[in-house]
Amino acid sequence: MSTDNPSPNPFRSARVLILSLTATIVVLALAFVGLAITRSGQPAAAVSGEKVNVLENSDNNCVTCHRQSTPGIVEQYGHSTMAAADVTCENCHVVAADYPGAIEHEGVYVLHEPTTAMCQSCHQAEVAQYNQSRHGLPSYVAYAGEEALTDEQLVAYHNIPEGGANPEASKARNALHALEGEAITKFACETCHDVGKPAADGSVGQCSKCHLRHEFSLEQARKPETCNNCHIGPDHPQWEIYQESPHGIAYATGGDRWHWDAEPGTLDATDFPAPTCATCHFSGFGASSTTHDSGDRLTWYLASPISDRRPAWQDNQVRMQSVCQECHNDNFVTQFYTDADAATEAVNAFVRQSDEMMQPLVDNQLLTDAPFDEPIDYTYFELWHHWGRTAKFGVWMQGADYVQWHGAYEILSDLAELREMIDEKLVKAGLPPVDGE
Ligand code: HEC
Ligand code: HEC
Ligand code: HEC
Ligand code: HEC
Ligand code: HEC
Ligand code: HEC
Ligand code: HEC
Ligand code: HEC
C-alpha cells in the first residue's frame, strides 16, 4: 500500500478548517473596512484611484474666502498635482500694483487671467518651446498681421525658425478677416488663433487653451478632444481624420483603459497602445522627449498652398519616426514616409496646375484687385485651402475618406469648375480658352 493513499488525514483537515476560517475572517474584515470607508465617504476616493483635495483644511486667505465665492475653482484646484506640490493661488495670480493688467483685490493685486510669464517662473522649458512654435506668435499674426506686434515681438517672431512660411497665402486669409469684420471674427478667427496672442505684460500665448484651469490635468491635455477645439472643419480636419484612423478607433474603443496620468517623459506602448494627437506631436514617447514646439516633429509645411520642406526637416523626421517605431517596425515606417511624401508631391502638382490655369487671367489683368469678390476667387482658394490640405492631412494621419472624397475628388471637381470659369473670362476678353489649341 502506498503511503500517499488519499486517506482522510486528521491533521490536514484541521489545517484546511483553519485556513478557510482565516479566509472567512479576512473577507469579513475587508468587508467591514470597505463598509466603513464608504460610510465615512472620504477614503473611498483614494480606493478608486482619485486624488484627494489637498486644500480641504487649508487656511490660505484666497482659499478660505473663495470656498464661498467660487467653490468650484477651489475644489478643482485642490485635486490638482500643482496644489499637491504646494503651488498656491498667489503664485499664479498675485502681481505688483504696477504690473500690466493688475486688478486691486482684497488688499493685493491680481491678474484675472494669469499670463505665460507667470507659468514661466516655474516652467521655463515649456514656455521657451511654446514661444518657438507656431502656436505662439505665428498663430496671432495669421489673422492680426505683423503690424499688430511691438518691435520686440517682431524680432522674436522673425527669429522663430518655422514661423515665417507663406506670407502671401496668409494675406488672403487676413483679407477674409477684414471682410467679415470684428463683430464676427471675435467669435471665429480669434477664438482659435489667440492661442498665440500677446498679453498686456508682453508675454505670449494662452496655456489654458490646452490646460483647462484649474485642474491642469494631464489626462485632459492628452486627450484628442482638447485639440479638436481648433483642429477641426473643412480646412484642417485633423480631428475628423483621427476619428476614422485605426489610432482613433483604438482610442474610441479602448481608451478608457489607457494610462492617462502616467509620468510625463517616459511614456511607451504599455501606457498608450495607440497614439493620440498629443502622443505623436507633444509627448515624451519612446526615444523622443516631451515638447511644446508643435513643429518639432514635422517635415513639410502641409498647411501651405504648395508644401515645401521645413528647415532641419531631417531632424524633425527622426523625432516623429522614433514615436512610430515604438509600435511599428522600421520598414513599415520608412515605406509609409516614402508613400506619403509622394502623395504630398501629387497634391502639390494639382495646386501648381490650378496656378498655371489662372496665369493667363493674371497676365491679362482679368481678375479684380479686390480679394474674395467674385466666385472664381473662392473656387481657386478652396481647391488648395480646403481640399488640397485635407488630402495631405488625410494621407499623413490615416484618414482614407478625407484623402479621397473630401480631398482628391473635390480637387478634380474644382479644377473642372475653375477651367470653365477661366475660359468664360478669356473668351469674353477675346482670348483663346485654356484648353483651346
Ligand atoms: C474676502 C474674500 C476674498 C478673498 C480673501 C480673495 N478673494 Fe478673490 N474674489 C472674491 C470674490 C467675491 C470675487 C468675485 C467677484 C465677482 O464675481 O465679481 C473674487 C474674484 C477674484 C478673481 C477674479 C477677478 C476679476 O475681476 O475677474 C480672482 C482672479 C481672484 N478673486 C483671485 C484671488 C486671489 C489670488 C486671492 C488671494 C490673494 C483672493 N482672490 C482673495 C473674494 C475674495
Ligand atoms: C497654475 C496657475 C493657477 C493657479 C495656481 C490658480 N489659478 Fe486661477 N486662473 C488661472 C488661469 C490661467 C485663469 C484664467 C483662465 C482663462 O480664463 O483663460 C484663472 C482664472 C481664475 C479666476 C477667474 C475665473 C473667471 O472665469 O472669471 C478666478 C476667480 C481664479 N482663477 C481664482 C483662483 C483661486 C482662488 C486659486 C487658488 C485656489 C487659483 N485661481 C489658482 C491660473 C491659476
Ligand atoms: C510656483 C511654481 C509654478 C507656477 C507659477 C506654475 N506651475 Fe505648473 N507645476 C509646478 C510644479 C511644481 C508642478 C509639478 C507637480 C508634480 O509633478 O508633482 C507643476 C505641474 C504642472 C503641470 C502638470 C500637471 C501634472 O498632473 O503633472 C501642468 C500642465 C502645469 N504645471 C501647467 C502650468 C501652467 C499652465 C501654469 C501657468 C498658468 C503653471 N503651471 C504655473 C509649479 C508651477
Ligand atoms: C476653428 C479654429 C480656427 C478658426 C475659426 C480659424 N482658424 Fe486659421 N487655423 C487654425 C488652425 C488649427 C490652423 C493650422 C492648420 C494646420 O497647420 O494644419 C490654421 C491656419 C491658419 C493660417 C495658416 C498659418 C500661417 O500662419 O500661415 C492662417 C493664415 C489662418 N489660419 C488665418 C485665419 C483667419 C484669418 C481666420 C478667420 C477669417 C481663421 N484662420 C480662422 C484654426 C482656425
Ligand atoms: C497645444 C496644446 C498645449 C498648449 C497650448 C500648452 N500645453 Fe502644456 N502640455 C500639453 C500636452 C499634450 C501635455 C502632455 C504631454 C505628455 O503627454 O506628457 C502637456 C504637458 C505640460 C506640462 C507637464 C510636462 C512635464 O513634462 O511634466 C507642463 C508643465 C505644461 N504642459 C505647461 C504648459 C505651459 C506653461 C504652457 C503655456 C506656455 C502650455 N503647457 C501650453 C499641451 C499643451
Ligand atoms: C486654441 C486653438 C488650438 C488648440 C486647442 C490647439 N491648436 Fe494646434 N494650432 C492652432 C493654430 C491656430 C495653428 C496654426 C498656427 C499657424 O500655423 O500659424 C496650430 C498649429 C498646430 C500644428 C502645426 C504647427 C506647425 O509648426 O505648423 C500642430 C502639429 C498642432 N497645432 C497640434 C496641436 C495639438 C496636438 C493640439 C492638442 C494637444 C493642438 N494643436 C491644440 C490652434 C490650436
Ligand atoms: C500617428 C501619429 C499622429 C497622430 C495620432 C496625429 N498626427 Fe498630426 N501629423 C502626424 C504626421 C506624421 C504629420 C505630418 C508630418 C510631416 O510634415 O512630416 C502630421 C501633421 C499634422 C499637422 C499639419 C501641420 C502642417 O504642416 O500644417 C497638424 C496641424 C496636426 N498633425 C495636428 C494633429 C491633431 C490635432 C491630431 C489629433 C486630432 C493629430 N495631428 C494626430 C502624425 C500624427
Ligand atoms: C502607441 C502605438 C502606436 C504608435 C506610436 C503609432 N501607431 Fe500606427 N498603429 C498602431 C495600431 C495599434 C494600429 C492598428 C493596427 C491594426 O490595424 O491592427 C496602427 C495602424 C497604423 C496604420 C494603418 C495600418 C494598416 O494596415 O491599415 C498606419 C499607416 C500607421 N499606424 C502609421 C503610423 C505612423 C506613421 C506613426 C508615427 C507617426 C504611427 N503609426 C504611430 C499603433 C501605433
Side-chain angles (χ1 to χ4, degrees), residues 108-128:
V108 293
Y109 288 83
V110 299
L111 291 180
H112 172 91
E113 243 177 81
T115 64
T116 50
M118 304 304 281
C119 318
Q120 188 174 19
S121 56
C122 301
H123 299 299
Q124 263 176 346
E126 283 81 8
V127 175

Side-chain angles (χ1 to χ4, degrees), residues 42 53-60 63-64 67 74:
Q42 204 195 359
N53 182 352
V54 301
L55 296 182
E56 195 153 47
N57 302 311
S58 165
D59 56 2
N60 172 293
V63 171
T64 46
R67 225 177 252 141
V74 174

Side-chain angles (χ1 to χ4, degrees), residues 133-142 162-163 189 191-196 206 209-210 221-224 226-231 236 238 276-279 281-282 293-296 298 300-303 310:
S133 80
R134 296 180 70 89
H135 275 145
L137 284 173
S139 281
Y140 176 66
V141 170
E162 295 181 8
C189 321
T191 305
C192 300
H193 283 267
D194 280 354
V195 70
Q206 296 177 352
K209 291 279 189 195
C210 289
R222 284 172 174 164
K223 286 197 164 161
T226 291
C227 320
N228 92 27
N229 183 224
C230 306
H231 291 274
H236 29 67
Q238 283 97 8
T276 66
C277 321
T279 317
H281 293 287
F282 281 78
D293 179 351
S294 47
D296 209 37
L298 306 178
W300 293 97
Y301 287 117
L302 292 180
R310 293 179 184 243

Side-chain angles (χ1 to χ4, degrees), residues 88-417:
T88 62
C89 317
E90 287 95 328
N91 286 143
C92 285
H93 282 283
V94 173
V95 290
D98 59 354
Y99 199 86
I103 313 165
E104 193 175 0
H105 182 61
E106 302 295 334
V108 293
Y109 288 83
V110 299
L111 291 180
H112 172 91
E113 243 177 81
T115 64
T116 50
M118 304 304 281
C119 318
Q120 188 174 19
S121 56
C122 301
H123 299 299
Q124 263 176 346
E126 283 81 8
V127 175
Q129 290 158 356
Y130 185 75
N131 284 343
Q132 283 293 295
S133 80
R134 296 180 70 89
H135 275 145
L137 284 173
S139 281
Y140 176 66
V141 170
Y143 78 82
E146 290 187 24
E147 57 277 14
L149 302 180
T150 63
D151 290 345
E152 208 180 322
Q153 286 159 358
L154 199 62
V155 173
Y157 172 66
H158 285 297
N159 282 335
I160 297 173
E162 295 181 8
N166 64 95
E168 282 310 309
S170 299
K171 272 186 204 146
R173 279 153 292 176
N174 295 160
L176 278 178
H177 183 257
L179 277 173
E180 289 172 11
E182 178 67 24
I184 298 287
T185 57
K186 187 175 172 29
F187 295 96
C189 321
E190 286 156 49
T191 305
C192 300
H193 283 267
D194 280 354
V195 70
K197 189 183 182 176
D201 63 8
S203 68
V204 172
Q206 296 177 352
C207 310
S208 54
K209 291 279 189 195
C210 289
H211 296 292
L212 301 189
R213 50 123 214 234
H214 284 95
E215 289 177 347
F216 300 104
S217 125
L218 284 176
E219 168 165 7
Q220 176 265 311
R222 284 172 174 164
K223 286 197 164 161
E225 285 84 356
T226 291
C227 320
N228 92 27
N229 183 224
C230 306
H231 291 274
I232 194 167
D235 54 337
H236 29 67
Q238 283 97 8
W239 163 247
E240 293 91 329
I241 289 167
Y242 179 71
Q243 280 183 300
E244 77 152 333
S245 76
H247 302 138
I249 290 166
Y251 164 71
T253 53
D256 53 346
R257 294 189 297 274
W258 299 359
H259 302 168
W260 293 103
D261 286 321
E263 187 69 27
T266 58
L267 305 177
D268 62 28
T270 58
D271 301 308
F272 293 89
T276 66
C277 321
T279 317
C280 287
H281 293 287
F282 281 78
S283 304
F285 200 82
S288 289
S289 41
T290 314
T291 184
H292 274 69
D293 179 351
S294 47
D296 209 37
R297 301 174 185 171
L298 306 178
T299 65
W300 293 97
Y301 287 117
L302 292 180
S304 300
I306 292 169
S307 293
D308 292 320
R309 287 294 193 181
R310 293 179 184 243
W313 63 270
Q314 292 97 333
D315 298 343
N316 298 2
Q317 179 171 306
V318 169
R319 285 190 283 266
M320 181 68 91
Q321 290 189 347
S322 305
V323 174
C324 316
Q325 280 157 355
E326 276 298 296
C327 306
H328 298 289
N329 69 45
D330 290 4
N331 287 341
F332 176 89
V333 176
T334 314
Q335 189 59 48
F336 172 79
Y337 266 73
T338 308
D339 296 344
D341 283 346
T344 305
E345 300 280 18
V347 173
N348 276 351
F350 283 132
V351 176
R352 280 205 187 90
Q353 192 182 338
S354 77
D355 284 341
E356 283 158 18
M357 284 161 54
M358 291 288 275
Q359 199 54 45
L361 297 187
V362 178
D363 293 344
N364 294 290
Q365 277 116 46
L366 295 176
L367 289 171
T368 55
D369 283 340
F372 298 107
D373 69 336
E374 45 181 353
I376 193 169
D377 295 337
Y378 291 86
T379 308
Y380 171 71
F381 179 69
E382 285 175 12
L383 189 148
W384 72 265
H385 185 261
H386 290 22
W387 323 128
R389 276 170 156 197
T390 293
K392 288 179 280 186
F393 297 148
V395 164
W396 283 101
M397 287 172 273
Q398 297 81 43
D401 190 48
Y402 287 86
V403 182
Q404 173 53 40
W405 300 114
H406 303 291
Y409 175 84
E410 295 283 4
I411 295 176
L412 293 178
S413 157
D414 272 3
L415 278 172
E417 207 176 310

